[in-house]
Amino acid sequence: MHSISFPSLVDLDKATQPQLTLPPHLTQMLPQVAARDRAASLVFLAEALKARETGKKTSTAEMSQTGVWSERNPREATAEQGRRVTEAFVDAAVRFIDRWKELRPTQRP
């Protein structure tokens, strides 16, 4: 995979560590998510990042003053980390799509 980087698009003066404000039900799940409980992680992600219109208080704007949804400092990020995470995401998506194709019912002509 070819990687292109545009560091000039990042304003590091605005890259500050966010203070996340999670609703209580998401806060309660964090220890299980941190322990890599797969079910808890999937439920956490399914419940989080819903649009403001849902009223669930889980939109990015409601949980983070910066728009960054992480407890990590964005200044710690590197292009190499971004490349690895992006490649892992794409690889996982391809594996999921391939598996979906295997499992779906045969289409009729």
Side-chain angles (χ1 to χ4, degrees):
M1 176 183 276
H2 182 65
S3 177
I4 298 175
S5 177
F6 297 98
S8 63
L9 296 177
V10 177
D11 184 353
L12 285 177
D13 292 334
K14 293 183 180 178
T16 60
Q17 187 166 353
Q19 297 298 315
L20 294 182
T21 306
L22 301 176
H25 72 288
L26 293 181
T27 300
Q28 290 173 352
M29 279 188 243
L30 281 178
Q32 295 166 41
V33 172
R36 300 183 186 263
D37 178 318
R38 182 129 172 92
S41 296
L42 291 173
V43 171
F44 184 89
L45 291 172
E47 288 296 312
L49 300 179
K50 292 184 177 176
R52 185 184 298 260
E53 296 78 26
T54 66
K56 300 216 181 251
K57 305 287 186 209
T58 58
S59 70
T60 302
E62 293 169 298
M63 293 192 299
S64 168
Q65 81 282 11
T66 65
V68 175
W69 196 63
S70 173
E71 291 188 340
R72 304 264 328 252
N73 187 334
R75 289 176 182 259
E76 298 170 358
T78 66
E80 177 60 22
Q81 289 170 328
R83 183 193 62 73
R84 282 195 319 264
V85 168
T86 301
E87 286 180 2
F89 180 82
V90 170
D91 290 345
V94 168
R95 284 192 310 274
F96 173 80
I97 291 167
D98 288 344
R99 184 71 174 131
W100 184 358
K101 287 177 182 179
E102 290 173 9
L103 294 173
R104 72 177 176 196
T106 306
Q107 295 185 6
R108 297 181 188 160

